[in-house]
Amino acid sequence: MKKQRAVTFNHNPLLKRELPAWRPRIIMLALMGCSLALVGRALYLQGVNNDFLQAKGESRYARVLEVPATRGRITDRHGDILAVSTPVRAVWALPADARLEPAQVRELARLLEMNVGELNARLAAGRDFVYLKRQVPPEVAQAVADLRLPGIHQEKEYRRYYPGGEVMAHILGFTDLEDRGQEGIELAFDKRLSGRAGARRVIKDRRGQIVEDVEAIRPPRDGDEVALSIDGKIQYLAWSALREAMEEHKPKAAAAVVLDVRTGEVLALVNAPTFNPNNRANLTGAQLRNRVFTDAFEPGSVMKPFIAALALERGKVKLNTPIDTGNGRMTIGTATISDTKRHGVITMAQVVQKSSNIGTVKMAQQLGAEEMWHLFDQLGFGTPLNLGFPGETSGRLRPAKTWRPIEQATMSYGHGISTSLIQMARAYLVFAREGELVPLSLTRVDGTPSSGRRVFSADTARQMRTVLAMAAGPGGTAIRAQVPGYTVAGKTGTAHKLEDGRYARKYISSFVGFAPASDPRIVVAVMVDEPSAGQHYGGTVAAPVFSRITEGTLRTLGVAPDMPLTPLQLARRGGDEAASEGSSRESM
Amino acid sequence: MKFASTLTGLLQREGGAADPARAASGRLGRQGAPARELDLLLIWAAVGLLLLGLVMVYSASIAIAEGSRFTAYQSHYFLLRHAVFLAVGIGLGLMAFQLPMARWQQLAPALFVAGVVLLVVVLIPGIGREVNGAQRWLSLGPVNLQPSELMKIFAALYAADYTVRKLDVMGSFVKGFVPMMAVILLVGFLLLREPDFGAFVVITTIAFGVLFLGGVNVRVFVLLAVVAVIGFVILIWTSPYRRDRIFGFMDPWQDAYGKGYQLSHSLIAFGRGEWFGVGLGGSVEKLFYLPEAHTDFLLAVIAEELGFAGVLTVVALFALVVHRAFIIGREAIKLERYFAGLVAQGIGLWIGIQSFINMGVNMGLLPTKGLTLPLMSFGGSGIVANCVALAILLRVDWENRQLLRGGRA
């Protein structure tokens, strides 16, 4: 067969003519020409035009990536850490890729402490990208990564940790998931704390994964550390004093603030109820409220010493000037002002000591409305402190022109005007500091403290210290404010709360004072909102809190006692009498 | 078996390089017995391309394989399949090598008809598998068969057979040219219905190339070539799909994120490669940017990872394969084995034109069309068809050498 064909083939006469030999050569040449063209083109692309092409490529897959800066720490005045950022991870998913077996979903839900149904709902969401859980602790994140589930990814983020927990909650505030300050110091100092994110140029694949780190454009600058003026120990003892008062008097809320007289630093600032900043689930507005800054309240009798001081400063009265408080009732226009007890004729100092409304009004009546307004304004009432705290209140101080005589009278004993607790505490610096007022500071003051603004003469301040020491001593309204080993001075307040424009039978008990009375180091202000366990006088509710805080603070600061450590002159029996201060009500 | 003895002989002769007399006689003229029984240059060039192809398919596909649900996230998904295809291709190639060229000539018409039938079957809805709007595949259990790839071999065989049969009337337009023309028009019609424009170009080139080599009247050929070019132009202008591809190629940066997307990424890959490449495995373009990186645009990944040196190697190896194919064809024709000679040159033309078009497309010299890089790109039918074609080429060479030694083909 084969042979036959070969023979046929070779003997076919028509095949004598050869195939043209030039044709394959032409085709070969053409194909080799093509190869040369390819080589030439490759030379051009890879050796000549490569910069242009690489630039085009860069523009497609080079990305500038933000390198997060670590948020700065917050410390107390001694450098103890109050807030620190710890690395955690966010677990996210690409739902399109995350086809998981039911068993895998259950395992993932168990690790993330999530509901299986909730996890499935997230994975079924019609989005390209979904967070499954954020702020996952590193060890849990590692366990999730070890599952090697398709479409489940992680990224680094930071979680703010507050070692002080609820003790520091209100002063520090907190940050949101993106590490931005939301409340408190975290918000007030957000710029300083957050630092500046750096940038890197990286190459990403089309799915966004980084495949190559090209260069660092700018290193991240970590946030600055902020050293607060707060003293951790004082803060803690103020908080425990407040917690005790919360248990004893069952009030709606309470707050306290401790100021350093020399520098204007805030040594402690506490609120109750409080919250755990490390676990902010189920928070209520009441827990979050920083009452020291945000709540303006009618201060009541704690206002009286300023009126007395102004009358003293203006020479209208002296400490021993007799003032007739009559039978404990006094009529101005159609309104009646009353004292809780009839005091008869008493000295100006006793008016403050016994907290007589009538005596105070009589001093106020010797002063002009404009004069009083100017005093209030100088003391900082009606003006926010501008410490950067969110929601800081200015209090309420109406212009003097609009004051009616009865209003001027009630304002003298702290009604018809409102202030925040921190404004009131600061105002008491004028007595503690030889008549000067200094700006407050939430951060540690390292240099020389800023000089103050004079409100009263040093002499007036000194005389007022004597009066206020009397108020906190035997025969005063706040004998329970006393501290073993130290002289204290201060004033109680028991104000009716305004509800719907009427004064209700609800009270805000307060005490603002300083110690040691002979050479003041601290101002302590305490406010208890609606005590509901029977007692409501500032002298019985707020003064003991003041006493506890003051005693602990002075010992912590190492202030030398200015009084022999004899048994207290505090007589149990005198307690109720001492507390019977002049609470009052406007009856119009 | 003949092949087994050939291989042993091959190995012995390889080892026998120490025998200077024999080596020298091999280098001396064609009259002496050839020193080797197979064209080693061709074998090494082809093996080089196949192995480089295997490595580069793995490198180019690793990211998409690892990142896709369809591959079950296995990074070696395409490598494994390519290796299996390669093994099957080499196995089938060994079988094809056993078949004498005379037998191939006998089978040529039947194979061609079978190829046409497959091209019809693939168009039947429900039988042919459609991928990305093109119905090119027949599902055969676990694998898919692409008839157009097989048709390239069949076209080379059939065109050679046809030419040899009509050698005496090659000068005649009606008798020599028109019947082939009709057949190619039929095949072309079927291919364009899929559509598979790339295969259409390659098969037409093979058929008319062989006809040209077989001595068809030059004037007629030129005339028809002109007609064909006009036909191409009409085809291109009547289909918006093909026209878009043309525009994308003219200036990929005009619409770099639209029509020019693929080409622009291919060009970027070349630019990134520079002289010696970013290193094997270092391509960024293959990370989901460049579509079809392991098939049609494999050269771009080679260019990025191995640089100009890699591209030059690939171009040179293809040129070597094509060159050897034409040399083998010429030898056969000298021995008056016209069918064998034309088949060899047809295969050379096929590999030459397809590799040129694919590389030209990768570099933006030619409009983008769906053609793989022969011997290298991922794709079962393509690799198998290439291996069988090489086996036939080697068979022609082997028979040449047998005849020169006085043996019989």
Side-chain angles (χ1 to χ4, degrees), chain A residues 438-455:
Chain A
V438 286
L440 297 186
S441 174
L442 285 167
T443 50
R444 191 172 64 211
V445 175
D446 290 323
T448 46
S450 46
S451 62
R453 190 157 47 93
R454 183 157 296 282
V455 178

Side-chain angles (χ1 to χ4, degrees), chain A residues 89-406:
Chain A
R89 300 189 80 82
V91 178
W92 53 274
L94 297 172
D97 290 348
R99 300 289 158 96
L100 305 182
E101 308 279 329
Q104 292 178 315
V105 174
R106 278 198 300 277
E107 181 64 11
L108 185 60
R110 189 185 63 78
L111 284 173
L112 295 178
E113 293 172 344
M114 286 173 79
N115 196 319
V116 174
E118 185 195 351
L119 187 60
N120 275 323
R122 293 213 179 181
L123 287 174
R127 278 183 292 162
D128 293 342
F129 172 99
V130 63
Y131 277 119
L132 296 183
K133 190 164 189 184
R134 302 196 61 174
Q135 312 246 306
V136 178
E139 59 276 9
V140 175
Q142 188 55 50
V144 170
D146 288 344
L147 293 179
R148 301 190 165 277
L149 301 177
I152 308 291
H153 305 269
Q154 304 190 357
E155 70 186 8
K156 191 179 173 187
E157 60 181 5
Y158 288 102
R159 182 198 164 92
R160 203 71 166 153
Y161 178 63
Y162 302 95
E166 54 187 9
V167 176
M168 298 285 177
H170 288 99
I171 180 90
L172 296 177
F174 47 82
T175 58
D176 65 5
L177 286 177
E178 313 297 339
D179 225 21
R180 289 181 301 241
Q182 292 297 295
E183 289 281 352
I185 293 287
E186 295 277 26
L187 178 57
F189 290 83
D190 194 41
K191 259 223 169 86
R192 267 170 70 181
L193 287 166
S194 51
R196 199 182 60 173
R200 299 191 72 78
R201 189 190 304 282
V202 297
I203 285 183
K204 285 189 167 189
D205 73 16
R206 209 161 67 88
R207 300 190 173 180
Q209 305 273 20
I210 296 167
V211 294
E212 199 181 320
D213 200 351
V214 183
E215 57 172 344
I217 298 170
R218 164 162 53 89
R221 209 197 59 213
D222 287 346
D224 292 334
E225 185 170 307
V226 170
L228 298 185
S229 57
I230 299 292
D231 183 310
K233 272 188 200 156
I234 298 173
Q235 175 82 7
Y236 179 77
L237 64 91
W239 175 76
S240 48
L242 218 55
R243 192 176 52 173
E244 221 161 82
M246 287 292 283
E247 272 163 28
E248 195 183 339
H249 300 290
K250 305 265 180 276
K252 233 173 75 179
V257 57
V258 179
L259 303 181
D260 187 312
V261 168
R262 295 179 185 170
T263 59
E265 290 168 292
V266 179
L267 296 177
L269 191 157
V270 287
N271 281 275
T274 180
F275 60 94
N276 181 358
N278 298 312
N279 177 14
R280 299 200 299 276
N282 313 318
L283 275 190
T284 62
Q287 281 175 294
L288 279 176
R289 223 145 116 191
N290 187 347
R291 292 158 207 279
V292 174
F293 281 104
T294 59
D295 280 19
F297 63 102
E298 297 202 340
S301 306
V302 292
M303 192 62 95
K304 287 175 184 165
F306 299 111
I307 302 302
L310 186 60
L312 206 58
E313 179 89 359
R314 292 280 177 272
K316 308 286 187 195
V317 291
K318 287 188 164 42
L319 289 191
N320 55 7
T321 305
I323 294 172
D324 184 6
T325 62
N327 61 358
R329 296 183 74 78
M330 176 184 182
T331 307
I332 297 176
T334 57
T336 306
I337 289 167
S338 57
D339 283 341
T340 47
K341 211 171 148 186
R342 46 177 301 180
H343 298 296
V345 178
I346 47 177
T347 64
M348 172 271 192
Q350 281 173 313
V351 166
V352 176
Q353 184 190 22
K354 312 239 180 249
S355 196
S356 163
N357 291 339
I358 295 168
T360 310
V361 169
K362 287 203 163 167
M363 284 189 272
Q365 281 172 339
Q366 300 178 51
L367 302 164
E370 203 61 54
E371 223 172 349
M372 257 173 77
W373 184 91
H374 186 67
L375 169 69
F376 290 150
D377 182 53
Q378 273 197 310
L379 291 170
F381 300 145
T383 313
L385 286 172
N386 285 327
L387 289 174
F389 251 70
E392 207 180 90
T393 183
S394 59
R396 183 160 169 272
L397 173 64
R398 287 166 42 213
K401 274 176 284 188
T402 65
W403 292 4
R404 286 178 294 143
I406 177 65

Side-chain angles (χ1 to χ4, degrees), chain A residues 1 9 14-15 19 23-24 27-28 34 38 41 43 46 50 53-54 60-61 99 204-207 211, chain B residues 67 106 167 212 215-216 218 256 264-265 267 270-272 274 285 288-289 303 308 323 336 356 363:
Chain A
M1 173 82 181
F9 200 78
L14 292 169
L15 284 184
L19 289 179
R23 293 195 180 187
I27 291 188
M28 263 308 294
C34 288
L38 290 175
R41 176 71 173 167
L43 266 176
Q46 307 194 267
N50 53 335
L53 292 171
Q54 282 171 21
R60 293 196 186 183
Y61 36 70
R99 300 289 158 96
K204 285 189 167 189
D205 73 16
R206 209 161 67 88
R207 300 190 173 180
V211 294
Chain B
Q106 279 177 330
L167 215 48
F212 174 74
V216 88
V218 179
S264 62
H265 273 295
L267 294 181
F270 275 84
R272 282 176 55 81
E274 295 185 336
E285 281 297 338
F288 315 106
Y289 288 107
F308 177 72
H323 182 69
E336 300 196 332
F356 168 68
M363 296 185 202

Side-chain angles (χ1 to χ4, degrees), chain B residues 336-352:
Chain B
E336 300 196 332
R337 302 174 61 245
Y338 295 121
F339 171 74
L342 290 175
V343 167
Q345 291 179 341
I347 290 171
L349 189 54
W350 163 19
I351 292 176

Side-chain angles (χ1 to χ4, degrees), chain A residues 30-81:
Chain A
L31 287 175
M32 293 305 128
C34 288
S35 294
L36 282 180
L38 290 175
V39 171
R41 176 71 173 167
L43 266 176
Y44 169 72
L45 291 176
Q46 307 194 267
V48 179
N49 203 25
N50 53 335
D51 288 339
F52 166 80
L53 292 171
Q54 282 171 21
K56 285 283 183 187
E58 281 267 296
S59 74
R60 293 196 186 183
Y61 36 70
R63 294 283 174 275
V64 174
L65 196 75
E66 194 173 87
V67 185
T70 309
R71 195 173 172 84
R73 297 186 304 181
I74 303 175
T75 69
D76 81 346
R77 61 185 301 109
H78 305 300
D80 289 339
I81 290 168

Side-chain angles (χ1 to χ4, degrees), chain B residues 1 3 18 41 47 57 61 73 82 104 116 128 144 206 233 273 364 373:
Chain B
M1 298 256 310
F3 186 71
L41 224 50
V47 166
V57 162
S61 69
Y73 308 103
H82 194 73
W104 280 114
V116 172
N144 293 321
I206 294 170
V233 170
L373 189 56

